[in-house]
Amino acid sequence: MSVERTFSMVKPDAVAAGQAGAILAMMEKAGFKILALRMTRLTEAQAQAFYAVHRERPFFSGLVKFMTEGPIIVMALERDGAIAGLREVMGSTNPANAAEGTVRKRFAANIERNCIHGSDAPETAEAELRFFFNTADLL
Ligand code: IDP
Ligand code: MG
């Protein structure tokens, strides 16, 4: 494996529930270096753009509403095999199917309100990092 960067986000449900610190600790324990991190809040247009790949899905409008309901924490993470590694730490999209010890198993309420986002491939990782961070943030 090689050192990679990936993008992650603590979603509004987890920030509101005070779970952000525990989730960040899980990242650090899993060997991720936090390269950049910021708290922000998505506008409706930003949430629609971030999840544009899902715009035809029946859950899209509910997802946008959820993602705009409160602050989020966005971060750039670095590790050997970071992209697949983060998806492992997150667990399955539906917490009912998530493995023991994963973020979603521990904290997520349901398939929509599932606490955390992580990029799914090198191309999406770069695009999602660019969505939130400048070149200078990532040096
Ligand atoms: P991922 O976050 O595990 O990559 P995706 O399939 O990319 O999962 O879906 C993006 C987000 O959309 C999920 O994390 C979740 O918040 C929401 N979502 C996915 N599938 C459903 C669904 O069937 N109902 C409601 N929300 C969903
Ligand atoms: Mg996804």
Side-chain angles (χ1 to χ4, degrees):
M1 267 189 285
S2 55
V3 176
E4 290 176 334
R5 294 190 312 199
T6 193
F7 172 76
S8 188
M9 175 199 293
V10 181
K11 294 184 178 182
D13 54 341
V15 174
Q19 295 160 342
I23 292 172
L24 288 174
M26 288 173 75
M27 306 293 194
E28 291 184 329
K29 189 151 186 246
F32 291 95
K33 179 181 169 191
I34 300 171
L35 290 179
L37 178 148
R38 185 169 92 244
M39 181 175 268
T40 185
R41 187 169 176 160
L42 294 177
T43 64
E44 190 176 353
Q46 287 170 334
Q48 287 170 341
F50 185 78
Y51 278 119
V53 66
H54 295 305
R55 65 186 171 277
E56 306 300 338
R57 309 286 286 277
F59 60 80
F60 184 68
S61 62
L63 176 60
V64 169
K65 190 158 190 282
F66 162 49
M67 292 301 300
T68 55
E69 76 181 27
I72 59 171
I73 294 171
V74 294
M75 66 197 115
L77 299 175
E78 186 176 82
R79 205 191 81 175
D80 215 47
I83 297 166
L86 174 62
R87 299 288 305 192
E88 250 176 62
V89 174
M90 288 165 52
S92 298
T93 307
N94 185 345
N97 304 325
E100 285 302 328
T102 60
V103 172
R104 284 166 166 171
K105 181 70 173 187
R106 282 183 67 186
F107 298 119
N110 56 53
I111 193 171
E112 177 182 81
R113 303 177 70 84
N114 60 5
C115 295
I116 187 168
H117 171 87
S119 308
D120 61 7
E123 303 72 38
T124 49
E126 280 309 304
E128 291 172 356
L129 287 168
R130 290 285 158 229
F131 193 95
F132 288 101
F133 296 106
N134 299 317
T135 301
D137 298 321
L138 301 173
L139 294 176

